[in-house]
Amino acid sequence: MNKAIIVGGGLSGLSAAIHLIKKNISPIIIEASPKTGGRASSYYDNDFSSHLDNGQHILMGCYFNTLDYLRIIGAEDNLIYQDNLHVDFVNAEGKDLPLDAGDLIYPLNTLRALLQYEAVPLHRRLHCAAFFVKCIMLYRGISPSEKTVSQWLEANGEGREIQKTLWDFLSIGALNTSPDKADAFLFRDMLRQIFLRGNAAQTIILPRYNLSKSFCEPAEKFILENGGEIRFGERLLSLQSDNGIVKSITTNKQTYSDFTSVLTALPPHAYLHVDGMPQDITASAEKVEYSSILTFHLKLTDNHVTKPFYGLIGSPLHWVFNHGGYITTVISNADEYLKSSEDDLYKMIKSELKMYLKISPEKIQGYKIIQEKKATFVPDSAQLKNRPKAITPLANLFLAGDWVQNGLPATIEGAILNGKNAAKLIS
């Protein structure tokens, strides 16, 4: 059996491993931390008496590669699926303004959701529905080429009002970047992935359990039961190559030479600390601009909110997720909030939760804050051109990870797809 070394045990590395196993190639995963999953993992918190995710993730039905990954490892039941698109948006007065597709036949249910979305005045809903048909379904309207998301939407008559109440949730949530910076072409393609691939593609999917239990532990079990290995606490230090081939790699623990291929699934900044890495890869990594995500887990004495998640219109807290004994708030594109003190952030969050969801500050027993300062790359036009390919100058070295070219933003789906794509290149 051929052997492949996978450097990085995040979802992209795990995806690569399971697809290599399907090709009868034995993978060894080298992971610097003591667990798999990377930015999509969990840890046990004694104060909460629960596993907490290092960041909350929403999936969608159009995450076909993610769903395939879960089917392969026998974990498709680890998700909660919607029958039809439904999002509970809430305004600053605490009014529930759902975006609800209902059970009409697709795609009429999508148009119904837009036309009945009361967060937007009726005349703007009519325009929004027309924009959706023209630019998303019929591929017409002003081209997004060389425009930001905001510029493209405004050029097509979607002003700031509708952007704040609808499109920002999609652009900021999925791209983790201000719509004033994010590339419009990527955004339009993302909308088409969501809304033009059937009713199930536009639905929301949530992990049933914590991220490690939902995505990582079943993958580890599959890999180990099928001849793969996972070695924790090993960090790649250098590559040794000759005549365009990686001959060996050195970690902080040992040197490997008994392999046919090496697949690296690292975050961009990690490549800057590996000796012998091809110069074009490190050059791309040096140019990456990052966007952050702030996650607050808040333990409650009495949780009266009933829906699984909420979108808060006009609030810096874009999403609130209900876990029963605790809730999780997410601030995407959070760079400006990193400058605030933890106390100021906590005060702001308590104020927003009281205003939108009527959660009294006295009911909050405690909180945990998680700062992902390098959560995703910024998907503006310059960064998209900077993304490397999976194929490298070294014939047996391949790249995965969500920053590698694939036409998607930095999402779970992009990471898993790139692991699969890199595995396809290995023979």
Side-chain angles (χ1 to χ4, degrees):
M1 179 183 280
N2 291 336
K3 293 183 180 180
I5 303 292
I6 298 173
V7 184
L11 291 186
S12 202
L14 293 174
S15 173
I18 68 170
H19 286 286
L20 286 174
I21 287 171
K22 290 179 65 179
K23 297 176 65 174
N24 203 35
I25 297 174
S26 178
I28 298 175
I29 296 177
I30 295 170
E31 169 55 42
S33 78
K35 61 183 178 180
T36 63
R39 287 162 288 160
S41 61
S42 313
Y43 70 96
Y44 187 81
D45 186 273
N46 289 320
D47 293 335
F48 278 62
S49 300
S50 178
H51 283 87
L52 301 180
D53 294 332
N54 65 356
Q56 181 76 46
H57 291 269
I58 286 180
L59 287 73
M60 299 201 72
C62 61
Y63 281 26
F64 298 117
N65 294 285
T66 302
L67 297 176
D68 184 53
Y69 164 92
L70 291 168
R71 278 191 290 270
I72 293 171
I73 62 177
E76 62 267 43
D77 291 339
N78 289 353
L79 302 179
I80 300 171
Y81 303 85
Q82 290 183 335
D83 293 326
N84 300 288
L85 174 64
H86 182 96
V87 181
D88 284 289
F89 288 109
V90 181
N91 66 13
E93 288 73 44
K95 183 178 181 181
D96 192 5
L97 300 166
L99 181 71
D100 182 24
D103 55 4
L104 280 179
I105 190 171
Y106 168 85
L108 295 180
N109 60 349
T110 309
L111 294 175
R112 173 188 184 271
L114 293 173
L115 290 171
Q116 295 189 348
Y117 182 45
E118 294 182 1
V120 181
L122 179 59
H123 72 284
R124 297 306 310 163
R125 284 180 251 160
L126 293 170
H127 190 280
C128 180
F131 164 78
F132 180 85
V133 171
K134 180 180 68 173
C135 294
I136 309 305
M137 298 183 69
L138 299 181
Y139 286 63
R140 296 177 182 172
I142 298 173
S143 170
S145 178
E146 302 300 324
K147 289 186 174 69
T148 67
V149 170
S150 289
Q151 288 171 339
W152 178 59
L153 290 171
E154 289 170 5
N156 283 280
E158 295 292 279
R160 282 307 301 159
E161 181 180 26
I162 187 66
Q163 289 186 45
K164 289 179 180 179
T165 53
L166 179 62
W167 300 120
D168 279 3
F169 282 92
L170 284 165
S171 63
I172 298 175
L175 305 180
N176 193 35
T177 302
S178 166
D180 294 328
K181 294 177 67 175
D183 182 79
F185 194 86
L186 181 67
F187 181 63
R188 186 182 68 174
D189 281 357
M190 183 191 75
L191 293 178
R192 289 173 176 169
Q193 290 284 323
I194 295 171
F195 294 113
L196 297 187
R197 303 184 73 176
N199 182 65
Q202 65 185 1
T203 58
I204 305 293
I205 300 174
L206 295 176
R208 187 180 299 276
Y209 312 109
N210 64 72
L211 290 173
S212 290
K213 185 175 180 179
S214 295
F215 289 93
C216 305
E217 292 171 12
E220 292 178 28
K221 183 173 184 288
F222 178 91
I223 291 164
L224 297 177
E225 288 180 349
N226 287 276
E229 296 182 52
I230 305 173
R231 300 178 181 179
F232 296 102
E234 282 203 59
R235 184 178 68 259
L236 179 63
L237 300 179
S238 63
L239 303 177
Q240 294 79 44
S241 60
D242 185 44
N243 292 324
I245 300 289
V246 180
K247 296 293 186 179
S248 63
I249 67 170
T250 300
T251 73
N252 57 314
K253 292 186 175 181
Q254 58 189 303
T255 294
Y256 295 83
S257 58
D258 183 20
F259 56 79
T260 52
S261 301
V262 177
L263 187 155
T264 56
L266 299 169
H269 55 87
Y271 287 91
L272 304 179
H273 306 289
V274 179
D275 292 334
M277 190 62 62
Q279 193 275 334
D280 61 340
I281 297 174
T282 56
S284 291
E286 286 175 339
K287 296 177 184 176
V288 173
E289 180 183 351
Y290 296 95
S291 185
S292 61
I293 295 176
L294 275 176
T295 301
F296 264 82
H297 300 292
L298 299 111
K299 189 176 181 180
L300 303 179
T301 57
D302 177 28
N303 184 1
H304 68 267
V305 298
T306 58
K307 305 297 175 61
F309 66 99
Y310 299 83
L312 307 189
I313 298 172
S315 172
L317 308 185
H318 300 112
W319 300 98
V320 175
F321 296 88
N322 182 10
H323 300 287
Y326 70 96
I327 60 173
T328 299
T329 71
V330 177
I331 303 177
S332 301
N333 186 36
D335 291 358
E336 66 176 287
Y337 295 99
L338 295 180
K339 304 170 187 175
S340 302
S341 70
E342 189 171 313
D343 285 344
D344 287 342
L345 283 172
Y346 185 41
K347 289 177 184 177
M348 181 270 288
I349 288 171
K350 288 190 292 184
S351 175
E352 295 293 302
L353 291 175
K354 183 177 181 180
M355 184 188 312
Y356 281 85
L357 297 179
K358 312 307 178 189
I359 296 175
S360 171
E362 291 74 26
K363 293 184 177 180
I364 301 175
Q365 281 187 309
Y367 70 90
K368 299 291 180 179
I369 181 172
I370 299 174
Q371 299 182 14
E372 284 281 1
K373 295 182 180 180
K374 296 181 178 179
T376 66
F377 65 88
V378 174
D380 59 17
S381 58
Q383 293 291 310
L384 295 181
K385 293 173 183 176
N386 180 56
R387 297 176 79 175
K389 296 180 180 179
I391 297 174
T392 76
L394 299 175
N396 62 339
L397 174 66
F398 305 92
L399 300 188
D402 59 21
W403 73 305
V404 175
Q405 288 183 18
N406 62 7
L408 297 174
T411 59
I412 282 178
E413 173 72 356
I416 288 175
L417 172 61
N418 278 344
K420 177 180 178 180
N421 285 343
K424 286 181 179 178
L425 298 170
I426 295 176
S427 58

